[in-house]
Amino acid sequence: MAYSGAVIDVDGTVVRGDDPIPGAPAGYQRLGEAGIEPLFVSNNPTKAPPAYVDRLGAAGYDIDADRVFTAGSVTMRYLREHHADDDLLCIGAPGLLDQFADAGLSTTDDVDAADALVASIDRGFDYDDLCTALWALERDIPFIGTDPDVVIPAPERDMPGSGAVINAIAGVAERDPDAVLGKPSDTAIEMVRERLPYPAEECLVIGDRLDTDIALGERAGMTTVLVRSGVTDDDDLAASAIDPDHVIDHLGEIDRVVG
């Protein structure tokens, strides 16, 4: 198979923290040599695409901003389509709130005035935030999560991600979110197809997480490549109903897939 495009995860696939994963820069170069157009897609909602150009560039990956989108990008698109005129209560990091402002979306801190609740990773998340979310959702307003990642790769050890905050709120409110965005949501798949306008069978999805990266590829009908350089180990793989088409130790082994 000759591939035309590749959806590439970021954390755990090409970098850990700000450092390149060993072998991954060479693998990325190999994709370019094979004529495969890259699209970096991250489930980190806290940074807009231009920040990834700088971060990935410093790690040795040459990429333009239009070749990157994040869970924040997906969330902003969904909110513009479904909640453009709403006052949104956001429990999330300052970088996510900046994206609300850039997208022209209205936010509020008033639990009695909010038209929807958006929950995401927030390193300052505390009991007061849990109370705020509970009281807002008692009014039966829409509940939206930016992405499902319960844990995220970090330089020293894995850390809680957006999914941990979303699940905490879901538990206390005794209701599931109405939408969880990022990978592998329908909105993310739509954005992938717009940025990589090739037949699905000509596209790869490369990532370290079964329930987001590989699930997105399966749902989109693309060839999936799991790398073991992030959060998924052999026990996770054996226990999962999600079955990647290829499993490699790191992106540097991508030649096994693209020939």
Side-chain angles (χ1 to χ4, degrees), residues 7 39 69 186-198 200 203 216-222:
V7 178
L39 177 64
F69 72 81
D186 289 343
T187 306
I189 292 173
E190 288 172 7
M191 293 178 69
V192 165
R193 287 175 170 155
E194 289 170 3
R195 305 284 184 96
L196 292 178
Y198 307 111
C203 293
L216 180 143
E218 284 191 354
R219 295 187 63 212
M222 299 175 178

Side-chain angles (χ1 to χ4, degrees), residues 128-217:
D128 288 343
D129 291 318
L130 204 52
C131 290
T132 296
L134 174 63
W135 297 333
L137 292 177
E138 283 177 342
R139 298 175 40 245
D140 200 31
I141 61 174
F143 173 21
I144 299 151
T146 58
D147 64 278
D149 290 13
V150 175
V151 297
I152 54 176
E156 301 299 328
R157 305 178 72 169
D158 292 345
M159 299 176 64
S162 297
V165 173
I166 295 164
N167 291 348
I169 293 171
V172 74
E174 297 185 320
R175 60 174 282 193
D176 291 332
D178 298 285
V180 179
L181 300 164
K183 298 174 287 188
S185 69
D186 289 343
T187 306
I189 292 173
E190 288 172 7
M191 293 178 69
V192 165
R193 287 175 170 155
E194 289 170 3
R195 305 284 184 96
L196 292 178
Y198 307 111
E201 61 270 19
E202 293 182 17
C203 293
L204 298 167
V205 178
I206 307 166
D208 70 310
R209 193 182 294 268
L210 291 162
D211 60 346
T212 58
D213 303 310
I214 305 307
L216 180 143

Side-chain angles (χ1 to χ4, degrees), residues 95-118:
L96 181 64
L97 289 168
D98 290 342
Q99 292 174 69
F100 275 82
D102 291 341
L105 296 166
S106 175
T107 58
T108 181
D109 294 326
D110 188 343
V111 297
D112 296 316
D115 297 307
L117 172 70
V118 181

Side-chain angles (χ1 to χ4, degrees), residues 10-22:
V10 178
D11 293 288
T13 300
V14 297
V15 292
R16 181 173 282 272
D18 292 327
D19 296 324
I21 289 174

